[in-house]
Amino acid sequence: MTRIDGRRADQLRPVKITSDYTKFAEGCVLMEMGETRVLCTASVEEKVPLHVKSGGWITAEYSMLPRANRERTARDISKLKLSPRSAEIQRLIGRALRSAADLELLGPRQIIVDCDVLQGDGGTRTASVTGGFLALVLACRRLVAEGKLAKLPIRTFVAGVSSGIVNGEALLDLCYEEDSRAEVDFNCVMTSEGNLIELQATGEGRPFTPAEQEKLLRLAGAGIRELNAIQKSITGDLI
Amino acid sequence: MTRIDGRRADQLRPVKITSDYTKFAEGCVLMEMGETRVLCTASVEEKVPLHVKSGGWITAEYSMLPRANRERTARDISKLKLSPRSAEIQRLIGRALRSAADLELLGPRQIIVDCDVLQGDGGTRTASVTGGFLALVLACRRLVAEGKLAKLPIRTFVAGVSSGIVNGEALLDLCYEEDSRAEVDFNCVMTSEGNLIELQATGEGRPFTPAEQEKLLRLAGAGIRELNAIQKSITGDLI
Amino acid sequence: MTRIDGRRADQLRPVKITSDYTKFAEGCVLMEMGETRVLCTASVEEKVPLHVKSGGWITAEYSMLPRANRERTARDISKLKLSPRSAEIQRLIGRALRSAADLELLGPRQIIVDCDVLQGDGGTRTASVTGGFLALVLACRRLVAEGKLAKLPIRTFVAGVSSGIVNGEALLDLCYEEDSRAEVDFNCVMTSEGNLIELQATGEGRPFTPAEQEKLLRLAGAGIRELNAIQKSITGDLI
Amino acid sequence: MTRIDGRRADQLRPVKITSDYTKFAEGCVLMEMGETRVLCTASVEEKVPLHVKSGGWITAEYSMLPRANRERTARDISKLKLSPRSAEIQRLIGRALRSAADLELLGPRQIIVDCDVLQGDGGTRTASVTGGFLALVLACRRLVAEGKLAKLPIRTFVAGVSSGIVNGEALLDLCYEEDSRAEVDFNCVMTSEGNLIELQATGEGRPFTPAEQEKLLRLAGAGIRELNAIQKSITGDLI
Amino acid sequence: MTRIDGRRADQLRPVKITSDYTKFAEGCVLMEMGETRVLCTASVEEKVPLHVKSGGWITAEYSMLPRANRERTARDISKLKLSPRSAEIQRLIGRALRSAADLELLGPRQIIVDCDVLQGDGGTRTASVTGGFLALVLACRRLVAEGKLAKLPIRTFVAGVSSGIVNGEALLDLCYEEDSRAEVDFNCVMTSEGNLIELQATGEGRPFTPAEQEKLLRLAGAGIRELNAIQKSITGDLI
Amino acid sequence: MTRIDGRRADQLRPVKITSDYTKFAEGCVLMEMGETRVLCTASVEEKVPLHVKSGGWITAEYSMLPRANRERTARDISKLKLSPRSAEIQRLIGRALRSAADLELLGPRQIIVDCDVLQGDGGTRTASVTGGFLALVLACRRLVAEGKLAKLPIRTFVAGVSSGIVNGEALLDLCYEEDSRAEVDFNCVMTSEGNLIELQATGEGRPFTPAEQEKLLRLAGAGIRELNAIQKSITGDLI
């Protein structure tokens, strides 16, 4: 069976990563997976939120431009509320990035990773994790280069990918067309050691079996290994 | 190794379910798992949201009373924003309950399931799913009794439970004390057929292995079977 | 003439007070008057609002759960504004409780009394005063027990009750059914010495005479004496 | 004992009422009691709120200009919430005006009475009732003049005044200086027949006795009779 | 060609300025240009906003009362957002007033100029600048009188006026009737030396030529000279 | 005198326009002037706002990504208010685009032009007008191509540019570095016939003379002619 865009079931969409797409942020990449395009910037602030008692903090914000999608969506500010979907996603990104970092080593500063979706064609949350991780590393590199940090406060590569079951078949890295017809929706964040950081699986149209879940996890794991390699080609080793 | 409250690793906290704890809602249960206490009400509205083109809809709202926790938290309204954590949780509850239902059969009406945490001691989101499901069934039963529905638009029992890894050990149904020290946090919603509806796993302090994930899933599965049995003791068969 | 629920005109509904209904708040009672059920918690904060220049402060918040009533009401947060009715009521509760206390003696701390209506069947604001007062005393008792206060900073018992004119007859402690048909609505807060702290009377459908007002006040006064006795059975003397 | 401004205990401040102070509203008066100055406008809308099933509706909004007081207060919009005090007051004004009117006779239209305090020197809520009533009558007169109403849908004159106990003495129509030192604060709305529409009494610094309450009511009653006479000099008879 | 109200093309409406219309603000004028009536108050705060690193600050807020216009407009707070038009106008007023002042000389304090439109008949933004300037000067005079400032921190007189093209003719100081039919809308703020501080020109129905723009500027310049003279008659010299 | 980036006083920054940078909007250009980068999308909605009684409508929204600037700015939604600067700018863009269009010809539909600043280096509001105009034309072309419109409802090319006085010298198209030191800030929108649509001039640090204003206008006019030519190279003639 061929997919809409001709890919194999276990094939990622073309990945394109542009470092320093904008110039002001301490770290910035434009992350593209197929037609999905997310601008990820990392901003360093030399202070931490109140709830942080020791070390530093990493947080994320996620938003879609009004016309990133097929239909225009009103801006959050015109509805005076953060989209619940965005709230959920930015919590996921933040947790994933903090898991990759050594917050003690980061010291008393906060890094805010903004993930703004310029164009959304499925998989924006996992693309945000993968690209946001790179923006974070670039910002930390700059802190090291400026002598503010002795070494990179990053423990491991972290990337995310979606998978799902469409027409009974397990597919990697769903595009919007596939995603909208998926029976099971699977989002996964892993380290380059093959360990899990976050796993979210939802039966959209029907419940799913543990066996299906395992299959989707294997598929995602392979995809993430590929993404880790691409990440490494940009940042080099994490030392 | 004994747990804080003397339970075995695979043991649920005492479950207590009080039907019709309040009298106005079409369906209501007070759901207690150990010290966690959630008031779940289901309200029927004879109209559907704009985005629903055919059949009915089920949605959920989740909130904690200001002093449900060890520290008082300010009300959402005093900060003028829905807590992002609540936003995430109520989306989960809504998805889980819709998965259990036959929305076409429900007809052009909406059921709103409110889950208000009176006291929170860990596992409030999964207790909300388990209790919210019961409130939903009770409300639907009433629709059947009133002749508004020919049969119960519910396909299967649905319940949720948490599990997690604490001090290296996989434990079922974490209380707050355990939850706050958990290395891996696992929330799972399943049907009485043993299939998955929702699975959320997070490495809080460290990444986790696929093997650990499997173990937590088995633990949760057993817990959910127990909860399904308790649910059934309250609602009888779903026919 | 008999009332809907068989009571005499000057008879309170059954009063049930459950101390420590939840376990985290410094003071907590579940206050029930007939079918009206209000969860009152008192939370101690070791700081005062900016406007307090000397001594301590007591404030109140009041809210109804969405399905506390016959019809579901949307949460404040989904409308992004505090219900004006709630705003009015919580100001009343706060004033009443401050009147009962010696704020200088309380010292530089704030006590927030949350009154959350689990079920509303008339008289929720006065039940909130009566129950909130108890939560406040319990919280202060704990401060004394912990050695943070030398003596209870409470001057007098304070309770509230509604009365009203229904079908031309003055009735004590209206339930919702009566309240919705009342011509005159009377809410009164008094001390155990029989003095007034707050009095709010409204002609709903028609103006009322000073003589009617006097009659309603006498009725309320008797009801409050009964409530003070019940309060005392829970807290003992205020010393 | 003389008062700050030389008045007798039972003496109103000078009352000045300017009709049509602004020209666009269907009804408008600038209401002055001493230094308190409230601009009251009545706006007619040819539709009613959703909750009104039959007849018309009257509602009120109350606000203080930022520098109406000794200290500047931030605008509601800059805090994104309606001042709770304003919320409470505008509910009172609305109830009082509706009590004076025959809503059936008003027909399917709404009159919004805006009370904006240009300068506040005590008694703004009762001045708003007294002045808002006049704006309402003027707007209704215009509806009659335009042939939209057969007769004035107003049943009786309605006015409000404050009284209070200062240094142990009962005083009528407190100015700010007196109000800020008052032990008991009493606000009263009555009809020209001497009946009560609204009564709010608060012990600010101490509880008060029923005898004191009676005294304050008598004082207010006499003040309101004077205000009714002034109102009548402006509107003529209500026919 | 005669104008609606009989004025010549280059004639201002009657200007009436009432100082100290309210008594609490440090500076206050009621500014009237024809039927446009703006209450301008200047409030002194002995602190500056965070972004001000040296010297003082002047800011403005602008709002229309709900019934200042032909149609009632809902209050900002009921829509939970500052009217974009008000946002734009208050930025203009603030810039204009800061241009007139010596912020270093003002010292570490902020002056907030509130411009509340009681009645709007065209030209409210420029009337706010002209009147707001006077309120500012009066407040500064008081600071000098109280010995808080050695000299008036005001460099020059500043006033604003509108002009526009209506039916092809350039007119000064448009009233609402003219403004609503204007092809070009021109708002201008100048100093008494004839220099420009702010200029905003908009082609409402059609583009306009540089020659037209020049003509409108000349017209406005002459109007502002007249306004400066009136300002000076109130404040005397700025020394 | 040379400018920071080596340009002549009357020289535009390099202009780069990428059509269809994103694929979902009916019209889209990425507009770059030097380092300023604005994503402009035009979305067609087959309905009009309530206030539009005949023909169509065009409106604009403007926003900066959080890290478009040297410092990160918080998102509007986290402050719950639209930035007043954005409010002002999007009103300008909307007016300018409506001036260019024949709204009757557009028919009963609305076009929303979103201008999201990816990177801001001065002149974002005028770049938004210039780019937004192109997005608008592209969207209208599509309506023509789809047979929904008989002809392009655009009357003329419209573009905007900034100019200003820096160190006493009049410069065209200020970059941020220049803008932040400008004594006079001048923003201008003109048609390809050389007529004015919008003109906003502000003396930031000092008043300015009519002669200076004229000079800045000439400078802007020349810049806009260049921009019109570039626009035309993308859209061809407006027929």
Side-chain angles (χ1 to χ4, degrees):
Chain A
M1 199 187 88
T2 335
R3 297 169 72 171
I4 293 162
D5 49 10
R7 280 184 288 154
R8 296 187 317 274
D10 64 351
Q11 191 179 353
L12 291 176
R13 290 176 288 179
V15 177
K16 183 176 167 199
I17 296 171
T18 310
S19 301
D20 301 323
Y21 178 78
T22 61
K23 67 175 184 179
F24 296 128
E26 282 72 35
C28 173
V29 308
L30 178 65
M31 176 78 207
E32 299 179 69
M33 293 198 69
E35 300 276 21
T36 285
R37 214 177 293 172
V38 186
L39 183 58
C40 306
T41 59
S43 299
V44 178
E45 288 183 358
E46 293 294 329
K47 63 180 183 210
V48 290
L50 275 181
H51 66 85
V52 176
K53 301 308 177 200
S54 142
W57 192 247
I58 296 167
T59 190
E61 298 194 2
Y62 169 97
S63 183
M64 305 197 87
L65 289 197
R67 200 54 200 279
N69 291 317
R70 276 145 181 86
E71 304 289 322
R72 183 177 188 275
T73 47
R75 292 172 195 268
D76 286 352
I77 191 61
S78 73
K79 290 179 293 190
L80 278 175
K81 68 168 200 172
L82 180 63
S83 139
R85 180 180 168 273
S86 293
E88 180 183 318
I89 292 176
Q90 65 193 24
R91 281 164 57 86
L92 161 66
I93 304 170
R95 281 194 307 264
L97 298 183
R98 284 192 297 276
S99 283
D102 183 329
L103 294 174
E104 280 304 320
L105 211 55
L106 177 58
R109 50 178 63 86
Q110 179 174 226
I111 299 185
I112 304 174
V113 176
D114 287 290
C115 300
D116 286 273
V117 180
L118 305 188
Q119 191 167 274
D121 192 38
T124 60
R125 79 182 67 191
T126 45
S128 295
V129 169
T130 308
F133 173 81
L134 289 171
L136 172 65
V137 173
L138 295 180
C140 289
R141 277 240 190 282
R142 179 183 293 207
L143 288 171
V144 172
E146 290 171 346
K148 290 181 181 157
L149 284 180
K151 52 172 294 209
L152 215 53
I154 306 292
R155 292 171 166 152
T156 176
F157 286 93
V158 163
V161 81
S162 80
S163 57
I165 299 183
V166 183
N167 290 337
E169 200 183 3
L171 303 178
L172 178 64
D173 188 20
L174 309 188
C175 66
Y176 175 81
E177 201 63 31
E178 294 168 335
D179 188 53
S180 61
R181 292 181 299 115
E183 297 145 29
V184 182
D185 194 13
F186 193 89
N187 287 288
C188 183
V189 178
M190 292 176 80
T191 69
S192 45
E193 290 78 27
N195 289 326
L196 283 149
I197 280 185
E198 188 95 19
L199 189 161
Q200 295 185 343
T202 303
E204 299 270 324
R206 62 162 176 89
F208 55 104
T209 64
E212 287 175 319
Q213 188 254 312
E214 246 176 276
K215 196 168 185 179
L216 290 167
L217 178 56
R218 263 200 313 276
L219 213 47
I224 286 172
R225 270 192 301 280
E226 284 187 62
L227 290 167
N228 288 153
I230 297 171
Q231 288 178 318
K232 197 170 176 180
S233 74
I234 288 185
T235 63
D237 284 331
L238 294 177
I239 41 170
Chain B
M1 199 188 88
T2 335
R3 296 168 71 172
I4 291 162
D5 50 10
R7 281 185 288 154
R8 296 185 320 271
D10 64 351
Q11 192 178 354
L12 291 175
R13 290 176 288 177
V15 176
K16 183 176 167 197
I17 295 171
T18 311
S19 302
D20 301 323
Y21 178 78
T22 61
K23 67 176 182 178
F24 296 128
E26 283 72 35
C28 173
V29 308
L30 178 66
M31 176 77 205
E32 299 179 70
M33 293 197 68
E35 300 276 22
T36 285
R37 214 178 293 173
V38 186
L39 182 58
C40 306
T41 60
S43 299
V44 178
E45 288 182 359
E46 292 294 329
K47 62 179 184 217
V48 290
L50 276 181
H51 66 85
V52 176
K53 301 307 177 200
S54 143
W57 192 247
I58 297 167
T59 190
E61 298 193 1
Y62 169 96
S63 184
M64 304 196 86
L65 289 196
R67 199 55 200 279
N69 291 318
R70 276 144 182 85
E71 304 289 323
R72 184 177 186 274
T73 48
R75 291 171 195 268
D76 285 352
I77 191 60
S78 71
K79 291 179 292 189
L80 279 176
K81 69 169 200 171
L82 180 62
S83 141
R85 179 179 169 274
S86 294
E88 179 183 319
I89 292 176
Q90 65 193 23
R91 280 165 56 87
L92 161 66
I93 303 170
R95 281 194 308 264
L97 298 183
R98 284 191 298 276
S99 284
D102 183 329
L103 294 175
E104 280 306 320
L105 210 57
L106 177 57
R109 49 178 65 87
Q110 179 174 227
I111 301 186
I112 304 174
V113 176
D114 287 290
C115 300
D116 286 273
V117 179
L118 305 187
Q119 190 166 274
D121 193 37
T124 60
R125 79 182 66 191
T126 45
S128 295
V129 169
T130 308
F133 173 81
L134 290 171
L136 172 66
V137 172
L138 295 180
C140 289
R141 277 238 190 282
R142 180 184 293 207
L143 288 171
V144 172
E146 290 170 346
K148 289 179 182 159
L149 285 179
K151 53 173 292 212
L152 214 53
I154 306 291
R155 292 169 165 153
T156 176
F157 286 93
V158 163
V161 82
S162 80
S163 57
I165 300 183
V166 183
N167 290 337
E169 200 183 2
L171 302 178
L172 177 66
D173 188 20
L174 308 188
C175 66
Y176 174 82
E177 200 64 29
E178 294 169 334
D179 188 53
S180 60
R181 293 181 298 114
E183 298 145 29
V184 182
D185 194 14
F186 194 89
N187 286 289
C188 184
V189 178
M190 292 177 80
T191 69
S192 45
E193 290 78 27
N195 289 327
L196 282 150
I197 279 186
E198 187 95 19
L199 188 161
Q200 295 184 343
T202 303
E204 299 270 325
R206 61 163 177 89
F208 56 103
T209 64
E212 286 175 319
Q213 187 254 311
E214 246 176 276
K215 196 167 184 181
L216 290 168
L217 179 54
R218 263 200 313 276
L219 213 47
I224 288 172
R225 271 192 300 279
E226 284 187 62
L227 289 167
N228 289 152
I230 297 172
Q231 288 178 317
K232 195 169 177 180
S233 74
I234 288 185
T235 63
D237 285 330
L238 294 178
I239 41 170
Chain C
M1 199 188 87
T2 334
R3 297 168 71 172
I4 292 162
D5 50 11
R7 281 185 288 153
R8 294 185 321 271
D10 64 350
Q11 192 179 352
L12 291 176
R13 290 177 288 180
V15 177
K16 183 176 165 196
I17 296 170
T18 311
S19 302
D20 302 322
Y21 178 79
T22 61
K23 67 176 183 177
F24 296 128
E26 282 72 35
C28 173
V29 308
L30 178 64
M31 176 79 206
E32 299 179 68
M33 293 198 69
E35 300 277 21
T36 286
R37 215 177 294 171
V38 186
L39 183 57
C40 306
T41 59
S43 300
V44 178
E45 288 183 359
E46 293 294 327
K47 64 180 182 209
V48 289
L50 275 182
H51 66 86
V52 176
K53 300 309 176 198
S54 142
W57 192 247
I58 296 166
T59 190
E61 298 193 1
Y62 168 97
S63 184
M64 304 196 85
L65 289 196
R67 201 53 200 279
N69 291 317
R70 276 146 183 85
E71 304 290 322
R72 184 178 186 274
T73 48
R75 292 173 195 266
D76 285 351
I77 191 60
S78 72
K79 291 179 292 189
L80 278 176
K81 67 169 202 170
L82 179 63
S83 140
R85 180 179 168 274
S86 293
E88 179 183 318
I89 292 176
Q90 65 194 25
R91 282 165 56 86
L92 161 66
I93 304 171
R95 281 195 307 266
L97 298 184
R98 283 192 297 276
S99 284
D102 183 329
L103 295 174
E104 280 305 320
L105 210 57
L106 178 58
R109 50 179 63 87
Q110 179 174 225
I111 300 185
I112 304 174
V113 176
D114 287 291
C115 300
D116 287 272
V117 179
L118 305 187
Q119 189 166 275
D121 192 38
T124 60
R125 80 183 66 191
T126 45
S128 295
V129 169
T130 308
F133 172 81
L134 290 170
L136 171 65
V137 172
L138 294 180
C140 289
R141 278 239 189 283
R142 179 183 293 207
L143 288 172
V144 172
E146 289 170 347
K148 289 180 184 160
L149 284 179
K151 52 173 294 210
L152 215 53
I154 306 293
R155 291 172 167 150
T156 176
F157 286 93
V158 163
V161 82
S162 80
S163 57
I165 299 182
V166 184
N167 289 338
E169 199 184 4
L171 302 178
L172 178 65
D173 188 20
L174 308 189
C175 67
Y176 174 82
E177 200 64 31
E178 294 168 335
D179 188 52
S180 61
R181 294 181 297 115
E183 298 145 29
V184 183
D185 195 13
F186 194 90
N187 286 289
C188 183
V189 178
M190 292 176 79
T191 69
S192 44
E193 291 77 28
N195 290 326
L196 283 150
I197 279 185
E198 188 95 20
L199 188 161
Q200 294 184 342
T202 302
E204 299 271 323
R206 61 162 176 88
F208 54 103
T209 63
E212 286 175 319
Q213 187 255 312
E214 245 176 278
K215 196 167 183 181
L216 290 168
L217 179 55
R218 263 201 312 276
L219 213 48
I224 287 172
R225 271 192 301 279
E226 282 187 62
L227 290 167
N228 288 153
I230 297 171
Q231 288 178 318
K232 197 170 178 182
S233 74
I234 287 185
T235 62
D237 285 330
L238 295 178
I239 41 169
Chain D
M1 200 187 87
T2 334
R3 297 168 71 171
I4 292 161
D5 50 11
R7 281 186 288 154
R8 294 186 321 271
D10 64 350
Q11 191 179 354
L12 292 176
R13 289 178 288 178
V15 176
K16 183 174 165 199
I17 295 171
T18 310
S19 302
D20 301 323
Y21 179 79
T22 62
K23 68 176 183 177
F24 296 128
E26 283 71 35
C28 172
V29 308
L30 178 65
M31 175 77 206
E32 300 178 70
M33 293 197 69
E35 300 275 22
T36 285
R37 217 177 291 171
V38 186
L39 183 57
C40 306
T41 59
S43 299
V44 178
E45 287 183 0
E46 292 294 328
K47 62 180 182 210
V48 290
L50 276 181
H51 66 85
V52 176
K53 300 309 176 199
S54 141
W57 192 247
I58 296 166
T59 190
E61 297 193 2
Y62 168 97
S63 184
M64 303 195 86
L65 289 196
R67 200 54 199 280
N69 290 318
R70 277 146 182 85
E71 304 289 322
R72 185 178 186 274
T73 49
R75 291 173 195 268
D76 285 351
I77 191 61
S78 71
K79 291 179 293 189
L80 278 176
K81 68 168 202 172
L82 179 63
S83 140
R85 179 179 169 275
S86 293
E88 179 183 318
I89 292 176
Q90 66 193 24
R91 281 165 57 87
L92 160 66
I93 304 171
R95 281 194 307 265
L97 298 184
R98 284 191 297 276
S99 284
D102 183 328
L103 294 174
E104 280 306 321
L105 210 56
L106 177 59
R109 49 178 64 88
Q110 178 175 227
I111 299 185
I112 305 174
V113 177
D114 286 290
C115 300
D116 286 272
V117 179
L118 305 188
Q119 189 166 274
D121 192 39
T124 61
R125 80 183 64 191
T126 45
S128 295
V129 169
T130 307
F133 172 81
L134 289 171
L136 172 66
V137 172
L138 294 181
C140 289
R141 278 240 190 280
R142 179 183 293 206
L143 288 171
V144 171
E146 289 170 347
K148 290 180 183 159
L149 284 180
K151 52 174 292 210
L152 214 53
I154 306 292
R155 290 171 167 151
T156 175
F157 286 93
V158 163
V161 82
S162 79
S163 57
I165 299 182
V166 183
N167 289 338
E169 199 184 4
L171 303 178
L172 177 66
D173 188 20
L174 307 189
C175 67
Y176 175 81
E177 200 64 30
E178 293 169 336
D179 188 52
S180 60
R181 294 181 297 115
E183 297 145 31
V184 182
D185 194 14
F186 193 90
N187 286 288
C188 183
V189 178
M190 292 176 80
T191 68
S192 45
E193 290 77 29
N195 289 326
L196 282 149
I197 279 185
E198 187 95 20
L199 188 161
Q200 294 185 342
T202 303
E204 299 271 325
R206 61 164 176 88
F208 54 103
T209 64
E212 286 174 319
Q213 187 255 312
E214 245 176 276
K215 196 167 184 181
L216 289 168
L217 179 54
R218 263 200 313 275
L219 213 47
I224 287 172
R225 271 192 301 278
E226 283 186 62
L227 289 167
N228 288 152
I230 297 172
Q231 288 178 318
K232 197 170 177 181
S233 73
I234 288 184
T235 63
D237 285 330
L238 294 178
I239 41 170
Chain E
M1 198 189 88
T2 335
R3 297 168 70 172
I4 292 161
D5 48 12
R7 281 186 288 154
R8 296 185 320 273
D10 64 350
Q11 192 178 355
L12 292 176
R13 289 177 289 178
V15 176
K16 183 175 166 198
I17 296 171
T18 310
S19 303
D20 301 323
Y21 179 78
T22 61
K23 67 176 183 178
F24 295 128
E26 283 72 36
C28 173
V29 308
L30 178 65
M31 176 78 206
E32 299 178 70
M33 292 197 70
E35 299 277 21
T36 286
R37 215 177 293 172
V38 186
L39 183 57
C40 306
T41 59
S43 299
V44 178
E45 287 183 359
E46 293 294 329
K47 62 179 182 213
V48 290
L50 276 181
H51 66 85
V52 176
K53 301 307 176 199
S54 143
W57 192 247
I58 296 167
T59 191
E61 297 193 2
Y62 168 97
S63 184
M64 304 196 85
L65 289 197
R67 200 54 200 279
N69 291 317
R70 276 146 182 85
E71 303 290 322
R72 185 178 186 274
T73 49
R75 293 172 194 267
D76 285 351
I77 191 61
S78 72
K79 292 180 291 191
L80 277 176
K81 69 169 200 171
L82 180 63
S83 141
R85 180 180 168 274
S86 293
E88 180 183 318
I89 292 176
Q90 64 193 25
R91 281 165 56 87
L92 161 66
I93 303 171
R95 282 195 307 265
L97 298 183
R98 284 192 297 277
S99 284
D102 183 331
L103 295 174
E104 280 306 319
L105 210 57
L106 178 58
R109 50 177 65 86
Q110 179 174 227
I111 300 186
I112 304 173
V113 176
D114 287 290
C115 300
D116 287 273
V117 180
L118 304 188
Q119 190 165 275
D121 192 38
T124 60
R125 79 183 67 191
T126 44
S128 295
V129 169
T130 308
F133 173 81
L134 289 171
L136 172 65
V137 172
L138 295 180
C140 289
R141 277 237 189 285
R142 180 184 292 208
L143 288 171
V144 172
E146 289 170 346
K148 290 180 182 159
L149 284 180
K151 52 174 292 210
L152 215 53
I154 306 293
R155 290 170 167 153
T156 176
F157 285 93
V158 163
V161 82
S162 80
S163 57
I165 299 183
V166 184
N167 290 337
E169 199 183 3
L171 302 178
L172 177 66
D173 188 20
L174 308 188
C175 66
Y176 174 81
E177 201 64 29
E178 294 169 335
D179 188 53
S180 60
R181 293 181 298 115
E183 298 145 29
V184 182
D185 195 13
F186 194 90
N187 286 288
C188 185
V189 178
M190 292 176 79
T191 68
S192 44
E193 290 77 28
N195 289 326
L196 283 150
I197 279 186
E198 188 94 19
L199 188 161
Q200 294 185 342
T202 302
E204 298 270 324
R206 60 162 177 87
F208 55 103
T209 64
E212 286 175 321
Q213 187 254 312
E214 246 176 275
K215 196 167 183 180
L216 289 168
L217 178 55
R218 263 201 312 276
L219 214 47
I224 287 172
R225 271 192 300 279
E226 283 187 62
L227 290 167
N228 289 153
I230 296 172
Q231 288 178 318
K232 196 170 177 181
S233 74
I234 288 185
T235 63
D237 286 329
L238 295 178
I239 41 171
Chain F
M1 199 186 88
T2 334
R3 296 168 73 172
I4 292 162
D5 49 10
R7 281 185 288 153
R8 294 188 319 273
D10 64 351
Q11 191 179 354
L12 291 176
R13 290 176 288 179
V15 176
K16 184 175 167 198
I17 295 171
T18 311
S19 301
D20 301 323
Y21 178 79
T22 61
K23 67 175 183 178
F24 295 128
E26 282 72 35
C28 173
V29 308
L30 178 65
M31 175 78 206
E32 299 180 68
M33 293 197 70
E35 300 276 23
T36 285
R37 215 177 292 172
V38 186
L39 182 58
C40 306
T41 60
S43 299
V44 178
E45 288 183 359
E46 293 294 328
K47 63 180 183 210
V48 291
L50 276 181
H51 66 86
V52 176
K53 301 307 177 200
S54 143
W57 191 247
I58 297 167
T59 190
E61 298 194 2
Y62 169 97
S63 184
M64 305 195 86
L65 289 196
R67 201 53 200 280
N69 291 317
R70 276 146 182 86
E71 305 288 324
R72 183 176 187 276
T73 47
R75 292 171 195 268
D76 285 352
I77 191 61
S78 72
K79 291 179 292 190
L80 278 176
K81 68 170 201 172
L82 179 63
S83 139
R85 179 180 168 274
S86 294
E88 180 184 319
I89 292 176
Q90 65 194 23
R91 280 164 58 87
L92 161 67
I93 303 170
R95 282 194 307 264
L97 298 182
R98 284 192 297 276
S99 283
D102 183 329
L103 295 175
E104 280 305 320
L105 211 55
L106 178 57
R109 49 179 65 87
Q110 179 175 227
I111 300 186
I112 304 174
V113 177
D114 286 291
C115 300
D116 286 272
V117 180
L118 305 187
Q119 190 166 275
D121 193 38
T124 60
R125 79 182 67 191
T126 45
S128 296
V129 169
T130 307
F133 173 80
L134 290 171
L136 172 65
V137 172
L138 295 180
C140 289
R141 277 239 191 281
R142 180 183 293 207
L143 288 171
V144 172
E146 289 170 346
K148 290 180 181 156
L149 284 179
K151 52 173 294 210
L152 214 54
I154 306 291
R155 293 172 165 150
T156 176
F157 286 93
V158 163
V161 81
S162 80
S163 57
I165 298 182
V166 183
N167 289 337
E169 200 183 3
L171 303 178
L172 178 65
D173 188 20
L174 308 188
C175 66
Y176 175 81
E177 200 63 31
E178 294 169 335
D179 189 53
S180 61
R181 293 181 298 116
E183 297 145 29
V184 182
D185 194 13
F186 194 90
N187 286 288
C188 184
V189 178
M190 292 176 80
T191 69
S192 45
E193 290 78 28
N195 289 326
L196 283 150
I197 279 185
E198 188 95 19
L199 190 160
Q200 294 185 344
T202 303
E204 298 271 323
R206 62 163 176 87
F208 56 104
T209 64
E212 286 175 319
Q213 187 255 312
E214 246 176 276
K215 196 169 185 180
L216 290 168
L217 178 54
R218 264 200 311 276
L219 213 47
I224 287 172
R225 271 192 300 280
E226 283 187 63
L227 290 167
N228 288 152
I230 297 172
Q231 287 178 318
K232 197 170 177 181
S233 74
I234 288 186
T235 64
D237 285 331
L238 295 177
I239 41 171

